[in-house]
Every structure is written in structure tokens, then in C-alpha cells.
Amino acid sequence: FLFVPAVEVKIEVVIPEKERSKEEMSPNGKASPLIYKVNGTARHYHLEEHPIASNPYHNPKDVVEASVCHVKDLENGQMREVDLGCGKALLIKESGEFHAVGHKCPHYGAPLVKGVLSKGRVRCPWHGACFNISTGDIEDYPGLDSLPRFQVKIEKEKVYIRASKQALQTQRRTKMMAKCISLSNYNLSSTNVLIIGAGAAGLVCAETLRQEGFSDRIVMCTMDRHLPYDRPKLSKSMDSHPEQIALRPKEFFRTYDIEVLTEMQVAAVDIKNKTAVFKDGFKMEYNKLLIATGNTPKALSCKGKEVENVFNIRTLEDANRVVKLATSKNVVIVGASFLGMEVAAYLTERAHSVSVVELEEVPFKKFFGERVGRAVMKMFESNRVKFYMQTEVSELREQEGKLKEVVLKSGKVLRADVCVVGVGAVPATGFLKQSGINIDSKGFIVVNKMMQTNIPGVFAAGDAVTFPLALRNNKKVNVPHWQMAHMHGRIAALNMLAHGMEISTVPYLWTAMFGKSIRYAGHGEGFDDVVIQGDLDELKFVAFYTKSDEVVAVASMNYDPIVSKVAEVLAAGRTIRKRDVE
């Protein structure tokens, strides 16, 4: 797969408004919440069976077959979206063979025809998920489902596709999963696999175990009151309901015997006795353990930090409450972080005023560089967001117990009815301090390429870990992003089953503000130069982050699918030199 030279880099893929709005929609609009309350000893549930998908071809009436093109209509390495009458498929020709799979990414519905085809897989243009073109299986994340695969046949130089109508309409396929052999024999206070945390890492771990045929007990526990949900939505779509952003409906957990204990906090882990001790005193023995507790937001340490209406966005309830209180009121965001800026963008149409306070001179300077940061700042200013840079909060003032003003160290006083704090986070690993599990000086759990800790049978994944990144010569890094958490969960599950699988993925993330997305791939920490193609003022650009002579990361806006192209090159182990992009 050759890197596209700079002259050809200027690829414009205009997403139609209809598709663009879908990008920020929920991946599962019809999901519904399930709350397993834990009272007394009634902590175990007998789960019913609800088959989610049956054989797509068992009913002839459910099948459609159509001629879609002539064999010479597609060259090797080409993709085409084809219509079968009751739905579309993605037709791909590679190495002389035709393949047909679903045409939309199951994550947020991106058109895969605008993605990147390379060595037997197609990469989504929006968020970088990868799918095998022969099987439809998901091979890199984000997202939980695979693509449906359709039968292709060639007759008299014509290409025919045979497909299930149901698969054409849903455009997603849940991989086959095992169920528990027998739940009735279990001791309530012991499980084969215990997963602490119910984010993307925890859920993908549980699902991967079932996909690999694991049929013993799996228990997930979370401090949250909801089933696993799409956490990036908390700052991008703040007034979402639990059922709109649930990653799986409650029936899914019943069908595949994945137990979820909500509002349950683990206070300590006893590695000698393989036991997790909960805050309420309940103890659960495990055989294998995954720690995927994520981050805890940092609080302000200034005077008046206990005042009402000052929020960290950690839960769905936090996000909902902020939107309610901010409507037609004055909002101050402390910290021009991803969370802070996304919240600022979301609230501009609802609030009377939105102000952002930040210690740096431009937003995202350390991550995107000064020039991209300034372009983003300009976009915010044109949407009525006011910035107070190179200063911090010295005091939060109240009136009748509620926030009234935010006082800055510069002396400026801002009117504020609501304050959202986005000044970073720390790993939620305090409960492991006496456990014997290796934690570094910043509180991150140290794991190897198999997501194993220093303790046999104990794995860790997601925002709370540092792991060796192949892309940067196995340097131990922390990548607190959605795609990476998915991949960590998968690798941990495979190694619980002794598959000896090492992590190999290119970090991929995105941020959405004012209906526009910045995509990013690679690991740019410590970059020393930025090469920019395109027009920053027009917010149509690609930025290559270089260290010495090597491109270590790329970011783009309105330049799809360049970030996915670069991710594919890096995933293949190839080096992109600075001169290639200048």
C-alpha cells in the first residue's frame, strides 16, 4: 500500500448533510437500559435466552439476488456501492476476486465506499474501524458489530450478489457467541471472569470471550447506574437519554449471559486469595480479572470549589443536569481540553453566554500544535465563545449557595450560573495501592503487550493503563481514547484464553464541534514540527506531525479519508518521511 504523495493528498470527500448528521447519531437508537440492583444476596440472575439473529438464508422469501455489474466494471483495488433493490451492499474487487459486505460502518453509519481498501480489509473514513472483506469481521475499532457478508457469483461475465433482506436493512452482524453451560450450579460469590468497569474495554472483553466460545460465568461491575454506554457522547450530545446511547440493549446481556452489577464499587483487590472486595463489604472470588476502571476527572483546588452548579462531566446524569441548568444562562468552562471544548460547542446554542478559561495560549496546543489550535479557536470565536487564555481560576463566588461568579487570577470576574471543569483526569486506580499490582508514579497500571499486569491472571485495559505501543518502538504510553479501549479489551480477552496475542494497532480518535470533526491517527507526543496542507482558515486541512524526519501522527478536517489512509500505512509498519508530505 503506497503512501499518496502530497500532490495527490488533497482528497475531498464532501459528506452530504444527511450523512454528516448521522455521524453524530447514536449507534443504537433503540437500545434500552437494564439496571441490575444489588440488594442483600440477590446478586445473581438467571438469564433468559433471546436469540438475536438467526441464519439469514433460512427463509427463501428473505433472500434477494441481483446482477450488479459487469466483471470489467471494477479494477483491482476498487470498491463500489451497489443497489440490490431493497438495500445496498459494498462490492469490492481485490486480487481478481469479488467480495460483497455491508456498505455502512456499524459504528455510526459512515459510507465505507469512501474509506480505504488495503490488503484484504476496508477502513472506515470517519473513525478508523477496520473490516475483513472476506468475512466482514471487525478487526479494529471503534464499534462492536461486524459487517454482514453476502454471496457473490459470476455468470456470463456478470457479477451477482445474493443477500438476506434483513442483513441489507440492518447493515450489521453480531458475531456468534457462546452461552453459559449452567448458571444454576454457581456459587453467587464466585465467578470465572470478573471485569471491573463497564466501558468499551470491559464490554469488548466480555463479548470477545463469548465469541471465542468461553462458556463460563462472566460478571461485569460498574459504579455507574447504567449498562455500558457510548461515553464520548457525554460531551458531544449532552442531553442524550440512557436508551439512546446504550451500546447494547438489555436483551443482549440476557441472551449471552453477561451479568452486569450496577452501582457497585470495588474497594480493594486481594490478589493472594483472588478476591475483589466491594465497598459494601460483599466479596467476589475470580479466576481471571480485568481492571478497566478508566479515569477520574480532576477537580479545581481554588477557593469556593464546593459551590453548587460546578460540574465534572463523569456520568450521563452530570451531562443532562448541565444542559438543563445552562439553558439561557451564563456558562464558564475551565480547561480547553477535548471535553471542555466539546461541551462549550454543544452549549453555545442553548446558553446565554459561554466562556472558556485556559492556562495555555491556544486550545489543543500540545496535541494539535499552535496553528491548528488557533484555527479551532477562531471557529469557536465566530460561534460567540469568549476565551480567557493564559490564566486560571482563583475563586468561585456564590450567592445563596449557588455559583454566581468565576474570579480569574488575571483579576477578571466572569458572570457564571454553571461551571464545567475539564482540566484533565487521573487514573481511577487508588483502590489498587496495596494490592501488589504494578502501578507507575502517575497511577497508571503497567501492562505488557498482552494487557497482562505483573500478577498472573490479572489484566488491565483502557484509560487507566500504560502499554507498549509498537508504532513508537514499544514505548510505554497511555492513550485514553475510545478506539484504544476497545482494542485493549479484545487483546485482554484473547490472552485470558491463552491465545498469546500481542496488541498492534494505530491510535485513532476524533473530536466533533459545531458539526465538524477533526480526525487524528498515530501518537504525536513530543512532535517537533507540523507540516500543513490545505487551508486552515477554511477549516479544510491535513496536518502531519513529525519527530526528527518521521511522521508520527496526522490530523485532518474536511479532508477524508486521508487520516484513514495514513493509519493504514502506519498499521502496515511503513515509515512516512517528512519529505514525503512536504
Side-chain angles (χ1 to χ4, degrees):
F1 185 90
L2 295 172
F3 180 67
V4 184
V7 189
E8 295 172 39
V9 156
K10 298 192 175 182
I11 298 161
E12 181 188 355
V13 175
V14 180
I15 302 172
E17 284 307 313
K18 219 157 69 175
E19 292 288 357
R20 195 184 302 250
S21 65
K22 281 181 200 165
E23 177 177 1
E24 308 311 336
M25 276 169 49
S26 160
N28 186 358
K30 291 182 180 170
S32 53
L34 172 68
I35 298 170
Y36 285 142
K37 290 289 181 198
V38 181
N39 302 316
T41 54
R43 297 168 187 277
H44 186 68
Y45 302 84
H46 185 74
L47 305 172
E48 313 152 36
E49 289 190 15
H50 292 291
I52 285 206
S54 49
N55 177 1
Y57 296 146
H58 77 288
N59 182 356
K61 287 181 184 173
D62 183 45
V63 177
V64 61
E65 189 176 290
S67 163
V68 290
C69 69
H70 190 275
V71 285
K72 289 182 180 167
D73 288 348
L74 256 70
E75 299 291 327
N76 277 325
Q78 281 190 328
M79 302 187 284
R80 181 185 287 187
E81 214 174 75
V82 292
D83 200 333
L84 276 72
C86 62
K88 293 179 179 178
L90 183 69
L91 182 66
I92 300 161
K93 189 178 183 183
E94 197 173 65
S95 306
E97 281 188 36
F98 286 92
H99 305 270
V101 291
H103 75 291
K104 279 184 181 178
C105 178
H107 179 229
Y108 280 8
L112 291 174
V113 72
K114 293 176 181 176
V116 178
L117 177 65
S118 171
K119 292 183 180 170
R121 68 182 193 175
V122 59
R123 186 183 282 267
C124 169
W126 286 357
H127 306 128
C130 297
F131 302 91
N132 185 301
I133 61 172
S134 300
T135 63
D137 286 352
I138 188 165
E139 293 185 344
D140 206 337
Y141 299 92
L144 296 167
D145 287 318
S146 296
L147 296 173
R149 181 177 65 92
F150 307 123
Q151 291 176 3
V152 179
K153 66 175 183 179
I154 314 290
E155 272 182 14
K156 295 178 182 173
E157 303 281 281
K158 281 188 176 177
V159 180
Y160 290 84
I161 294 177
R162 188 167 190 257
S164 136
K165 290 178 188 174
Q166 185 190 354
L168 283 170
Q169 279 148 17
T170 58
Q171 288 292 318
R172 62 178 68 227
R173 172 176 61 84
T174 303
K175 285 171 86 171
M176 290 292 288
M177 294 197 208
K179 297 180 184 191
C180 265
I181 295 165
S182 167
L183 284 170
S184 53
N185 302 335
Y186 287 136
N187 175 348
L188 297 184
S189 60
S190 74
T191 181
N192 199 305
V193 174
L194 176 63
I195 297 169
I196 307 174
L203 181 57
V204 171
C205 178
E207 290 201 18
T208 302
L209 288 169
R210 289 284 183 251
Q211 287 162 4
E212 295 296 316
F214 181 79
S215 59
D216 218 318
R217 192 179 183 199
I218 300 173
V219 175
M220 298 173 76
C221 62
T222 173
M223 287 164 62
D224 220 303
R225 66 173 69 168
H226 305 291
L227 282 175
Y229 58 86
D230 193 345
R231 197 170 282 281
K233 292 276 182 181
L234 292 187
S235 51
K236 295 179 178 77
S237 180
M238 297 177 69
D239 51 3
S240 300
H241 299 294
E243 60 272 14
Q244 289 175 311
I245 62 172
L247 292 173
R248 293 294 194 193
K250 62 181 178 183
E251 291 77 20
F252 179 93
F253 294 90
R254 289 200 184 108
T255 301
Y256 298 115
D257 301 335
I258 298 167
E259 295 168 68
V260 185
L261 308 179
T262 58
E263 297 180 87
M264 288 288 280
Q265 184 178 353
V266 174
V269 172
D270 176 351
I271 57 163
K272 196 177 164 199
N273 296 306
K274 290 192 163 188
T275 303
V277 183
F278 289 80
K279 207 174 177 182
D280 66 358
F282 177 65
K283 292 180 180 179
M284 184 170 270
E285 290 177 19
Y286 61 81
N287 181 26
K288 295 279 194 297
L289 177 67
L290 177 73
I291 303 162
T293 43
N295 282 336
T296 303
K298 285 182 188 169
L300 291 179
S301 55
C302 62
K303 189 180 171 188
K305 62 178 180 182
E306 307 302 331
V307 170
E308 247 186 84
N309 297 346
V310 178
F311 294 88
N312 289 111
I313 307 285
R314 178 66 187 142
T315 66
L316 192 57
E317 287 71 28
D318 294 335
N320 290 176
R321 186 123 176 84
V322 167
V323 174
K324 202 174 172 185
L325 291 170
T327 306
S328 306
K329 293 292 196 322
N330 301 301
V331 181
V332 173
I333 314 280
V334 183
S337 57
F338 283 104
L339 180 134
M341 295 289 273
E342 288 172 2
V343 168
Y346 192 78
L347 294 178
T348 43
E349 283 181 19
R350 293 156 181 83
H352 173 68
S353 73
V354 177
S355 305
V356 175
V357 179
E358 166 60 40
L359 211 47
E360 293 280 349
E361 56 193 305
V362 294
F364 303 131
K365 186 181 173 182
K366 283 181 183 156
F367 203 85
F368 290 136
E370 190 170 341
R371 289 169 66 195
V372 172
R374 283 204 189 282
V376 172
M377 189 170 168
K378 213 164 133 188
M379 173 177 78
F380 273 75
E381 286 172 331
S382 68
N383 282 282
R384 299 186 307 111
V385 176
K386 190 102 175 78
F387 286 93
Y388 297 88
M389 306 304 279
Q390 293 179 286
T391 185
E392 52 190 317
V393 177
S394 68
E395 186 185 350
L396 300 171
R397 285 188 190 152
E398 49 109 4
Q399 190 175 50
E400 294 172 9
K402 290 185 179 173
L403 181 68
K404 194 67 191 160
E405 291 170 338
V406 173
V407 185
L408 306 182
K409 285 194 175 165
S410 61
K412 183 83 181 164
V413 179
L414 309 178
R415 288 183 60 192
D417 302 291
V418 183
C419 176
V420 176
V421 181
V423 292
V426 292
T429 57
F431 70 103
L432 298 172
K433 276 194 176 128
Q434 310 302 319
S435 67
I437 294 166
N438 192 4
I439 307 282
D440 74 8
S441 58
K442 290 181 181 174
F444 293 111
I445 304 166
V446 181
V447 296
N448 64 14
K449 284 187 167 190
M450 296 182 188
M451 309 316 293
Q452 292 167 328
T453 67
N454 59 311
I455 306 298
V458 178
F459 298 78
D463 295 3
V465 310
T466 62
F467 69 101
L469 185 64
L471 197 65
R472 297 296 296 273
N473 297 319
N474 296 322
K475 180 186 169 186
K476 284 274 171 92
V477 299
N478 171 251
V479 182
H481 296 292
W482 196 234
Q483 168 261 350
M484 191 55 75
H486 284 71
M487 186 54 96
H488 283 181
R490 175 166 175 77
I491 298 298
L494 293 173
N495 290 311
M496 282 180 181
L497 302 173
H499 283 214
M501 180 69 74
E502 294 188 350
I503 188 162
S504 174
T505 184
V506 175
Y508 201 115
L509 66 113
W510 69 98
T511 182
M513 303 162 294
F514 303 112
K516 293 181 169 63
S517 279
I518 300 179
R519 324 222 187 271
Y520 180 99
H523 188 71
E525 197 177 272
F527 66 87
D528 51 36
D529 197 12
V530 188
V531 178
I532 293 172
Q533 306 272 352
D535 192 331
L536 284 170
D537 292 331
E538 292 289 317
L539 297 174
K540 188 177 169 190
F541 64 86
V542 54
F544 297 95
Y545 299 87
T546 63
K547 194 168 184 182
S548 303
D549 180 42
E550 196 179 322
V551 173
V552 289
V554 60
S556 83
M557 201 179 217
N558 291 318
Y559 240 92
D560 292 342
I562 188 64
V563 171
S564 286
K565 282 197 169 183
V566 173
E568 273 303 293
V569 175
L570 296 176
R574 301 202 180 159
T575 302
I576 303 167
R577 297 285 169 207
K578 193 173 178 179
R579 62 178 177 269
D580 297 331
V581 298
E582 275 178 330

